[in-house]
Amino acid sequence: KAVASVVLGTHQQERKDTLAAFAEHWLTAREVRPASITHYRIELDKYLIPQLGKLRLQEIRSSRVSAALTAWRKTGLAARQIRALHQRLRSILALAVHEHIVTMNVAMDVALPRQSQSEMQVWTPQQLAQFLATIAGDDMASLWHVYALTGLRRGEAIGLQWSDLDLKGGTLAVRRQSV
């Protein structure tokens, strides 16, 4: 049987890596921004490792993944975040498949929760005026005004520099973002 698995290309190494240990390897193997690594670390430590971290990679079944998704849903986690956690798990297991530790990515066979399409709630002009009047003395009032009047995301607003502002032309250029 062992020889046949090598010939067929389905041989997997006999390793005792847990998901927690292999997730560390996955994290260091990623070529992403440091902010992404920080974000992934939080997701791993808060959600993935407590639910599945003690399992050896070969012990993880789609039923265990489904149970983790259900548990996250019961805690009130949004479908979007559950989908993101599932994507991290799929990526970790894809690396395990690539390194011949497991033969298949069991996370691929799991049904994901539907994302609700809720309509965005926006303030009325009166509500915005009230908010801006309320924060008038705040140290961050200028930043709140930029948010309110431009629609910039947090990272875009924080990444602004004076050179991005053209007072004569009345424009603001978004050239970078900060985390």
Side-chain angles (χ1 to χ4, degrees):
K1 184 177 179 181
V3 174
S5 69
V6 170
V7 171
L8 294 172
T10 59
H11 176 71
Q12 61 188 71
Q13 300 174 17
E14 280 299 316
R15 292 177 51 170
K16 298 188 187 292
D17 290 331
T18 62
L19 178 71
F22 194 77
E24 290 298 320
H25 168 63
W26 170 82
L27 204 55
T28 59
R30 310 271 311 159
E31 290 186 26
V32 295
R33 297 182 336 234
S36 296
I37 295 292
T38 301
H39 181 73
Y40 296 160
R41 161 73 54 218
I42 292 167
E43 289 178 335
L44 289 171
D45 292 345
K46 191 171 181 180
Y47 300 106
L48 286 167
I49 302 307
Q51 281 291 329
L52 302 166
K54 293 179 182 176
L55 296 174
R56 286 185 33 235
L57 291 172
Q58 290 88 354
E59 295 173 335
I60 299 174
R61 302 286 179 260
S62 57
S63 60
R64 295 299 276 271
V65 175
S66 292
L69 298 180
T70 300
W72 294 327
R73 190 65 163 166
K74 286 181 180 176
T75 65
L77 215 53
R80 180 177 177 185
Q81 190 165 7
I82 292 171
R83 287 174 166 273
L85 293 169
H86 178 259
Q87 175 55 41
R88 297 309 159 253
L89 181 59
R90 278 184 30 212
S91 181
I92 292 166
L93 294 177
L95 181 60
V97 170
H98 178 75
E99 294 185 4
H100 302 287
I101 298 169
V102 295
T103 57
M104 65 181 289
N105 187 339
V106 296
M108 301 290 284
D109 296 332
V110 176
L112 294 173
R114 290 185 180 174
Q115 277 188 265
S116 61
Q117 298 295 327
S118 58
E119 191 171 319
M120 185 184 305
Q121 300 293 316
V122 296
W123 285 348
T124 65
Q126 295 79 17
Q127 289 171 321
L128 178 59
Q130 182 181 359
F131 171 76
L132 293 175
T134 303
I135 55 98
D138 190 274
D139 291 341
M140 303 293 286
S142 296
L143 182 60
W144 289 115
H145 274 83
V146 169
Y147 284 142
L149 302 174
T150 64
L152 292 179
R153 295 180 178 111
R154 181 181 62 213
E156 293 169 337
I158 292 172
L160 291 174
Q161 297 180 356
W162 284 111
S163 59
D164 299 329
L165 181 62
D166 177 2
L167 290 174
K168 289 181 183 174
T171 61
L172 181 64
V174 179
R175 296 187 174 102
R176 72 199 65 74
Q177 68 177 13
S178 181
V179 177

